[in-house]
Amino acid sequence: LTGEVGWTYGIIACAMGAVFVYHSVKLMQGYSARRASNVFRFSIVYLTAVFLALIADVAVSSLIDRV
């Protein structure tokens, strides 16, 4: 994508971002404690998944470059 990360990271980041936007829009349409909790919990999953995808993508790319 930018030369620093690959398609794997880009696809995972876009998919997770779309789900995060979905949860956020649902919260904006009508507040409830359950929806707010869903956004909060998913934000933790989102950040973890995006950072792990970044680490995995860079690690795999560097291994491929060595070969």
Side-chain angles (χ1 to χ4, degrees):
L1 293 172
T2 64
E4 299 296 323
V5 295
W7 287 102
T8 303
Y9 170 77
I11 291 168
I12 291 171
C14 286
M16 296 297 286
V19 175
F20 188 76
V21 168
Y22 169 78
H23 284 294
S24 299
V25 168
K26 293 294 272 183
L27 178 62
M28 287 175 35
Q29 289 174 346
Y31 177 83
S32 73
R34 182 175 181 177
R35 287 182 178 171
S37 178
N38 285 343
V39 172
F40 175 71
R41 283 184 288 150
F42 188 77
S43 71
I44 295 169
V45 171
Y46 167 80
L47 286 174
T48 303
V50 168
F51 285 137
L52 289 175
L54 179 61
I55 292 167
D57 192 66
V58 171
V60 169
S61 294
S62 66
L63 285 175
I64 292 172
D65 290 342
R66 288 183 187 177
V67 173

